[in-house]
Amino acid sequence: MDGRTGGLMLDWDDLRYFMALADSGSLAAAARKLGVEHATVARRVAALEDRLGTALVDRRTRRTQLTEAGRKVASRTRAMEDEAFAIERDLLGNGPEAAIELAVSAPPQLAVLVARRLVAFQSVQPTLRLTLLGQTRNVSLQRREADIALRLFRPQDDGLIIRKVGTLCYRLYGSSAYLSAHRQSDRDFIGFDEGLDDLPQQVWLKAQMGDKPMVLRSNDLGVQAEAAAAGIGLAVLPAFAAKAHQLKAADPKAPVFMRDIWLTFHRDLQKNAAVKATAAFLATCMPQETG
């Protein structure tokens, strides 16, 4: 770095935009994460580089690559972020009597189940305000992208409190009319798009399909359920989703696929009253399906 760095005052927002770029790997992905235009990310990163007097990003490659200076700045900034988020967790809910805001991340189909019961929760917890995020991606609880998460796999982070709160039972389902009109060998299948081919239920579906192609792909389970209800084919669904769309099991005696539901939050929050109350409520929303 040159002499221009002496006595400089960095803009934390510029660092935040830079970290989004460093973590996401592209301007477009960073912009989506921050909810801004990609030109805004580029402008804020360029402003940071100008203030530091050195390049942080190698723009000669198609995918964003950090320079050596960029990697150093990212490492230092990540440590700063971790401390800032730790302070936020320590002070969560410790202010004056006012609404406490918590962000809950969950797969979209589980977020719907929570939303259906929010009125009852708010009646007994009037000072708690939830931001309910229906997301397929796994958010960072360390960096407070959410305060509590519901996940369909068991997290491995030692810094998290983790407990099982439910179970989903997946079967192949179709509409009554579709099942009556199509023999087993003539039935079509609905599944996730190719970007989600590694999902456990998608892997299980492919094993049931054999060599047959999918007649429809969608990244949304609700869309798949609607398509099955419309008579397009069979979809792999948890029991609660099939019941909501009045679907029937293609073969009630066939093997099923089970997935556990895990609730998790940062270990720093295990004694926080608001988090404990919200976690207890979320657990009551989750289904306990059996084979």
Side-chain angles (χ1 to χ4, degrees):
M1 298 183 183
D2 62 25
R4 285 185 293 170
T5 61
L8 61 81
M9 290 292 293
L10 296 179
D11 187 322
W12 175 252
D13 271 345
D14 288 344
L15 286 167
R16 183 168 62 89
Y17 277 77
F18 168 68
M19 288 305 297
L21 178 61
D23 291 339
S24 302
S26 72
L27 286 172
R32 286 194 298 271
K33 180 178 181 179
L34 295 168
V36 299
E37 297 292 331
H38 75 274
T40 302
V41 179
R43 176 172 56 80
R44 299 302 290 261
V45 172
L48 179 62
E49 290 178 318
D50 185 61
R51 185 174 290 271
L52 291 173
T54 189
L56 303 177
V57 179
D58 186 347
R59 295 171 174 82
R60 296 172 298 178
T61 58
R62 186 171 183 178
R63 178 173 173 82
T64 299
Q65 299 284 346
L66 300 185
T67 62
E68 182 179 355
R71 290 191 291 273
K72 290 180 179 179
V73 171
S75 177
R76 294 282 190 180
T77 304
R78 190 164 282 113
M80 292 165 59
E81 283 185 325
D82 289 345
E83 288 301 316
F85 293 136
I87 291 172
E88 289 182 1
R89 287 192 295 269
D90 287 343
L91 299 180
L92 184 64
N94 290 335
E97 292 297 324
I100 301 169
E101 297 185 2
L102 293 177
V104 176
S105 174
Q109 68 269 31
L110 298 185
V112 168
L113 297 180
V114 175
R116 291 173 181 169
R117 302 185 64 176
L118 273 178
V119 171
F121 177 67
Q122 290 175 341
S123 68
V124 296
Q125 297 288 346
T127 63
L128 278 178
R129 296 288 183 269
L130 299 187
T131 298
L132 189 54
L133 307 170
Q135 300 172 307
T136 55
R137 75 181 184 93
N138 298 318
V139 300
S140 171
L141 298 176
Q142 174 72 28
R143 303 181 69 183
R144 285 210 71 198
E145 293 180 349
D147 297 299
I148 306 174
L150 291 164
R151 293 175 174 168
L152 293 177
F153 69 94
R154 193 183 193 285
Q156 300 300 316
D157 190 337
D158 291 337
L160 300 179
I161 299 296
I162 303 162
R163 64 187 178 103
K164 180 182 170 183
V165 293
T167 306
L168 297 180
C169 176
Y170 291 81
R171 286 185 172 90
L172 281 168
Y173 288 96
S175 69
S176 296
Y178 183 86
L179 294 174
S180 297
H182 295 78
R183 295 177 300 175
Q184 185 170 352
S185 59
D186 296 330
R187 292 170 181 171
D188 292 314
F189 297 91
I190 301 164
F192 285 99
D193 62 77
E194 293 179 353
L196 298 172
D197 270 349
D198 59 345
L199 283 180
Q201 60 265 43
Q202 181 89 336
V203 174
W204 183 83
L205 169 61
K206 288 188 170 183
Q208 312 307 307
M209 290 169 49
D211 296 330
K212 294 199 70 174
M214 291 185 197
V215 68
L216 175 69
R217 286 178 177 263
S218 171
N219 66 344
D220 185 87
L221 193 74
V223 172
Q224 294 178 35
E226 289 287 350
I232 292 176
L234 305 181
V236 176
L237 302 169
F240 78 86
K243 182 179 179 181
H245 290 82
Q246 298 181 324
L247 299 172
K248 290 189 174 181
D251 182 355
K253 297 181 180 180
V256 299
F257 179 74
M258 309 294 292
R259 293 198 74 175
D260 293 329
I261 305 170
W262 301 90
L263 184 146
T264 182
F265 52 88
H266 199 281
R267 193 171 293 277
D268 289 352
L269 297 174
Q270 62 183 318
K271 295 182 179 180
N272 185 282
V275 171
K276 288 170 67 176
T278 304
F281 159 68
L282 293 172
T284 66
C285 298
M286 296 300 103
Q288 306 288 338
E289 298 177 354
T290 57

